[in-house]
């Protein structure tokens, strides 16, 4: 999961940040982040924050149906921690964003 977060952070940077990061040898992609998040799901399948990041990766890759599927999975799991609650709020916002993209 931590490697996925690192890769996602690099992949989601704006153009200038990506260029600066690449200049010092740091680069990644949504695909790479997704690989790490999916592997983490194999180890712990109901980790809300991880599922949210999977949804965000799919959104970044333009795979909006898959993104919506994983955002829905986030909302199916009971929130236990404050991080879970925050992830559920973000998943709800992502679902709304994805609905607007479908129109």
């Amino acid at each position: 999961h931590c490697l996925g977060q690192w890769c996602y952070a690099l992949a989601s940077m704006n153009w200038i940040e990506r260029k600066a990061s690449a200049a010092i040898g740091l680069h990644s992609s949504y695909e790479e982040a997704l690989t790490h998040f999916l592997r983490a799901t194999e180890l712990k399948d109901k980790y809300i924050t991880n599922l949210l990041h999977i949804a965000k990766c799919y959104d970044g890759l333009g795979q909006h149906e898959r993104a919506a599927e994983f955002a829905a999975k986030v909302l199916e799991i009971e929130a236990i921690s404050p991080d879970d609650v925050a992830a559920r709020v973000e998943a709800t916002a992502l679902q709304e964003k994805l609905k607007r993209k479908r129109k």
Side-chain angles (χ1 to χ4, degrees), residues 1-9 32-57 74 83-84 87:
H1 176 79
C2 291
L3 274 174
Q5 287 183 308
W6 172 261
C7 293
Y8 181 83
E32 187 176 0
L34 182 60
T35 299
H36 293 298
F37 290 131
L38 290 171
R39 175 68 178 120
T41 299
E42 292 173 14
L43 302 172
K44 186 175 180 186
D45 64 341
K46 296 196 186 291
Y47 183 26
I48 293 177
T49 304
N50 193 67
L51 294 171
L52 173 63
H53 277 88
I54 292 171
K56 291 166 61 174
C57 284
V74 170
D83 287 341
D84 292 349

